[in-house]
Each structure stands twice: as structure tokens, then as C-alpha cells.
Amino acid sequence: MNEILTIILVLIVAPIIGCLASGVDRKITARLQGRVGPPLLQPYYDVKKLLSKDNMVVNSSQNFYVIVYLVFIILSLFMLVFKQDFLMIIFVYTVASVALIVGGMSTGSPYARVGSSREIMAILSYEPVLILYALAIYLLTGTFKLSALLDASSPLLMYTPLIFIAMIVVLNIKLKKSPFDYSTSHHGHQELVKGMTTEYGGPGFATIEIAHFYEYVFLTGLIFLFWASNPIIGVLLGIIAYLLIIVIDNITARVYWQWMLKLSWTVLLIISIVNIAFLYVSGVKLA
């Protein structure tokens, strides 16, 4: 019975939190740019308007991939909430990303195809860091199960500060914020228009936006795990990380996707491996 209530709560509360987070993003961005900005609930109004529009599609399959994207994002969030195997969570989340890429490719738009290709580069950039994050959890707890983190008396962050830094960059890449908004952007200020989501509109694009609401909660949940032993501090850590990404988005300019790949496969990968090596050699365990 508790599991059913939790599922219902996640289905209802998570998109509300994600919608408010998106609204806060727009509001802070506007203030940093000297504008008043839209209402806090503007993302909700956008989705409501999109759902009322005609379902215009380039082909019959593109919206199917969007539904797959939404379902696997929600499934990833459920697995995170129910403290399941972290390695499996990463794989399920990757399936969601691949579904959106295939959906963009299926439209035939040159903008969408280039955006989808860049999203593949993004996956190649952040996926190794996520795998090393899972490995760090295993070395500290002896299992990939997230329940071990919540049962520990000391936070994960104490032993994985370098991986935490790498995860902040991963959060930036996944939220598609500058300087890593290559594949698509929440703002129409890039050369690819809307990148891999260019050919989506109406209910199809509304589904992508709803999936993003769930994804915001999921991604901040990954940061929460660094201090899961104290839920209040963990939530604050996730909020601070999210606000930091918004600030970075507004003070940096977009660079080439090759730079992102080099950064991830050199700096991020090196500091993560150094952290893993420390955990392996020292043999420390979460108490």
C-alpha cells in the first residue's frame, strides 16, 4: 500500500516541482539579464497551450519515441525513489536519452539531425562519469543498491568530492545549459533553432516538456545522493547545485562540442578516476 501511495505521489508531485524549478530558472535568468521575466508558472501555461494545439507531426513514429522518453524518465525516477540498483538506473535513464535522439533523427530535419548527433556526443561525455559514480557507491557500500546510502551515518560527499565536481558538470550537460547547450536549448538563441526538438509541436512537444519536469527532479536527485544520510542537507545540496547551474548558464558562452568531449574525457574522467583510486587503495567504507 505504501508503495502505491509513493508512486501516486511521485507522479503528481514530481512534475509540479519540476515545473516550479523551470519557472525559477526563467525568472532568475531574466533578472540576471535585467528583465522582469515571465510568471513563475509560465512553464505550466506553455504546456497547457501546447496540449490544446493540433497534433501536427512529420511522421507517425516521432511522438512514439517521445512517449518512450517520458516513460523511461519516470521509470528512472521511480527506481531512484525506491532506492534500486544505481547501475540499472543509469542504463534505464540512457534508454530515455536514446529514445529522444531517435525521435529527433526520425523527423528528417537537418537541424534535428545535427542536434541529435550532438546529443550522442553529450552521452559519450557524461556516461563514463555516471559509471564511475556508480563504482564509487559500490566501493563504499559493497553494493549498487541506493538503500545503503540512506542507511549510512556519514555522507557520500565526504569520500567523493572529485566525483561531486564532475557530477556538477554532468548536471550542466544534461540540463542543456550553456556552455553545453549544443543539441537543443530552452531558449531560441542558438544556430540550430531548437535542435533535435525543432520538428516537435503541440502535444508532442508538451510531452517533452513534461518529461523535462520529471528529469529536473531526477537529476537533482542524483546530487541529493551525495548527502542522502541527511535528507534535509541532501535536498539543500540539490537546490544549490541547480541554482549554480543557472548562474553558470548566464555567465558562460557556448563552446564547440569537441571542447565538451575533451573536457569530459580528460579533466572529469581523470579527477573521477583519482577519486576511485583513493577509495580502492584506502579501502574506506561508509559507516
Side-chain angles (χ1 to χ4, degrees):
M1 189 64 181
N2 289 335
E3 288 79 4
I4 296 175
L5 290 175
T6 302
I7 290 173
I8 295 173
L9 196 64
V10 170
L11 285 173
I12 296 173
V13 175
I16 295 175
I17 296 174
C19 180
L20 292 174
S22 181
V24 168
D25 177 8
R26 296 189 188 188
K27 205 73 176 175
I28 294 177
T29 297
R31 294 296 184 179
L32 289 174
Q33 296 174 357
R35 299 183 288 110
V36 174
L40 186 63
L41 292 179
Q42 187 60 47
Y44 164 72
Y45 300 141
D46 291 344
V47 169
K48 183 179 178 182
K49 183 178 180 180
L50 287 168
L51 289 172
S52 67
K53 291 181 175 293
D54 293 335
N55 186 29
M56 304 293 289
V57 294
V58 176
N59 59 64
S60 58
S61 63
Q62 68 181 83
N63 281 350
F64 167 75
Y65 294 117
V66 167
I67 293 172
V68 173
Y69 172 61
L70 173 63
V71 169
F72 276 86
I73 287 288
I74 295 175
L75 183 58
S76 301
L77 183 57
F78 279 148
M79 294 176 71
L80 187 68
V81 170
F82 286 108
K83 299 168 283 188
Q84 298 301 305
D85 189 298
F86 188 59
L87 203 57
M88 188 58 65
I89 292 173
I90 293 173
F91 292 151
V92 171
Y93 183 56
T94 302
V95 171
S97 300
V98 171
L100 190 60
I101 290 171
V102 176
M105 288 285 192
S106 71
T107 63
S109 165
Y111 295 119
R113 290 195 170 217
V114 173
S116 297
S117 298
R118 290 181 178 182
E119 184 64 14
I120 293 173
M121 293 298 105
I123 291 178
L124 291 174
S125 298
Y126 69 74
E127 201 71 23
V129 177
L130 289 178
I131 298 297
L132 290 174
Y133 185 13
L135 180 58
I137 292 175
Y138 179 81
L139 290 175
L140 285 167
T141 63
T143 178
F144 288 112
K145 290 282 187 180
L146 295 181
S147 54
L149 292 179
L150 277 75
D151 297 335
S153 57
S154 53
L156 180 67
L157 183 58
M158 286 183 60
Y159 305 102
T160 57
L162 297 180
I163 291 179
F164 176 76
I165 294 172
M167 281 301 299
I168 293 295
V169 180
V170 169
L171 188 64
N172 199 326
I173 295 173
K174 281 308 298 175
L175 289 175
K176 297 173 178 60
K177 299 295 186 183
S178 187
F180 305 119
D181 52 342
Y182 306 102
S183 58
T184 186
S185 173
H186 294 284
H187 317 287
H189 57 48
Q190 64 155 296
E191 78 283 6
L192 292 181
V193 191
K194 285 289 288 180
M196 62 180 174
T197 60
T198 298
E199 296 299 327
Y200 285 100
F205 192 64
T207 305
I208 293 176
E209 290 299 306
I210 293 171
H212 285 159
F213 295 159
Y214 283 102
E215 192 170 16
Y216 289 154
V217 179
F218 173 78
L219 291 172
T220 50
L222 296 183
I223 303 299
F224 167 85
L225 294 177
F226 282 97
W227 214 296
S229 56
N230 188 321
I232 296 176
I233 298 178
V235 169
L236 288 175
L237 193 65
I239 293 173
I240 292 171
Y242 182 73
L243 295 176
L244 176 63
I245 297 303
I246 296 175
V247 174
I248 293 173
D249 178 43
N250 285 277
I251 63 174
T252 57
R254 186 183 307 107
V255 292
Y256 295 112
W257 64 263
Q258 291 93 334
W259 187 87
M260 173 183 66
L261 205 59
K262 290 176 183 177
L263 174 69
S264 298
W265 281 80
T266 55
V267 178
L268 300 187
L269 210 56
I270 288 172
I271 64 174
S272 298
I273 290 174
V274 168
N275 207 149
I276 292 294
F278 164 75
L279 296 177
Y280 181 77
V281 173
S282 63
V284 294
K285 298 290 183 181
L286 282 180

